[in-house]
Amino acid sequence: MEKAYDRLSWLFLTKNSVLLNGQPYGFFKSTKGVKQGDPLSPTLFILAAEALSRGLNPLHLNLYFCGYGLPKWSPKINHLSYADDTIIFSSSDATSLHLIMDVLSTYEAASGQLINKAKLVEHLHHSASEVVVAKVQRITGIGHQDFSFICLGFPIFCTRRKMIFYQGLINKVLDKLQSWKGKLLSIGGRAVLISHVLQSMPMLFLSAVNPPAFMINKLHKLFARLFWSNSVDGRARHWTSWDKLCLPCEEGGIGFRSLHDVSKALFCKLWWNFRTKPSLWISFMCQKYCKKMNALVVPWRHGSYVCRKMLEVRDLVENHILWKPRMGSSLFWFDNWTGLGALYFDLASHILENVKPPDSIDVLDKPIWSLETQGISFEGLNLHQTIVKCWTVKVIPRLQPIFQTLPCIIVWELWKRRNSYKYGDVVSINRVMYQVSTTIQSFVKVRKPGIRNVPYRWPDILQMMENYTPRLKVNKVL
């Protein structure tokens, strides 16, 4: 204990000096805090940041607090922190704002740190009225600023993508090019600078942002000008396109990296993290964009730019993710645990490829006993004939996938109810029919993402099928 006390005494009583004209002048003792670079400094900072975080988290338990709008089942989030940067999310409710300011005041009193409100900025949606903006400023004492803004080097905005949002990255590249201006560089030297300096600058940016194509093309244009003319504003002839320069050396290129391919590769890694690593971000993304659907069948027409880019590369990555079964946490239908792809897609494609139309629609299918060469006749329709009739019935093209998938859905639901009944659960016919109709409804939405009104009740689906196929008795199929 004595040694620890001596260590703390040495930390807080270290003498410091100030350099004047290159010479140390006088000494003074540190009576508060720790010196810069001390190993104890990060620990103290984490303790202080943890105190602030634990003060904001319980606000969701307060009945008078109205937080930021989030999906129903997503984790409650009212702040995000990274190092010394903190973003606080809240509604414009006056009571909620007062509760947040009370937490900040308590933190100031406990830690001795004062919050500089002159450096803080509040952002509201562009549709917020001036009355709401004035109310928030009056309660918090923080100035207002419109979107967009830069956080950790990334643009945050709530409108369509504009070139001005990404101008900061382009300016950094231009500043680096200006520092090389006037230097006599060989074409090999310029190639090395482009490959190892300029193309490395947007890596972090592209790993979390889906910029528009014209922004990446702008960077490619700057790289090409430097390569061919040794300056940004040069007008030398480009003897070949940038796409050909990005080819490997053995294929006639220089080996540059196309930022379009880099962005795709980085988002492939982001999809891998999304599918394999649990985190707060993954939980939020699942509840906001997937909801009750699996991530493999979510349509990518809606959502943020990042979500759409992730779903765009989904098919490139998902087939290469092989789940090794252990305790059975992987999903039976959607995860690739067989090595042949997800059963959800593999089974449907197998049915569509192997089911062939009959030679004659007037002759009944002939059942054959697979263990002997002699045929065995049956009266009426057995299960096999019923399934084949569903697969080969003549319907309009948009209903054909539904009828071809219907036997598999029914057999699968019956198998699940059989297992439930075996272990003591209550099983009813209505429950089976409800599950079948729900699965068909999900299948229709996947096949036809644009469809709006899909029948929810089984009788409605039966009626829809009978309307389109008057010759088929749907009740006999069931």
Side-chain angles (χ1 to χ4, degrees), residues 62-79:
N62 193 322
L63 298 178
Y64 298 99
F65 180 76
C66 181
Y68 188 78
L70 295 170
K72 185 175 182 181
W73 303 110
S74 67
K76 301 298 182 181
I77 303 173
N78 57 19
H79 72 285

Side-chain angles (χ1 to χ4, degrees), residues 25 30 33 44 55 60 66 85-86 152 155 223 229 251 298-299 313 327 332 353 360 364 385 395 475:
Y25 181 81
S30 299
L44 296 177
H60 291 292
C66 181
D85 293 332
T86 301
L152 302 177
F223 299 160
S229 61
E251 297 181 13
V298 172
V313 302
M327 60 180 295
F332 179 83
E353 292 176 1
S360 177
L364 294 178
Q385 293 174 342
V395 294
N475 54 353

Side-chain angles (χ1 to χ4, degrees), residues 103-117:
V103 172
L104 297 180
S105 301
T106 305
Y107 173 76
E108 289 179 332
S111 64
Q113 296 179 333
L114 297 179
I115 298 176
N116 189 356
K117 294 184 179 180

Side-chain angles (χ1 to χ4, degrees), residues 41 45 85 135 359 401 424:
S41 180
F45 175 79
D85 293 332
K135 180 185 68 173
D359 297 332

Side-chain angles (χ1 to χ4, degrees), residues 281-301:
W281 169 73
I282 292 174
S283 178
F284 172 80
M285 293 289 287
C286 287
Q287 295 300 329
K288 183 172 179 62
Y289 297 112
C290 298
K291 296 182 180 179
K292 296 182 179 181
M293 299 181 65
N294 189 274
L296 269 67
V297 296
V298 172
W300 58 277
R301 298 181 180 179

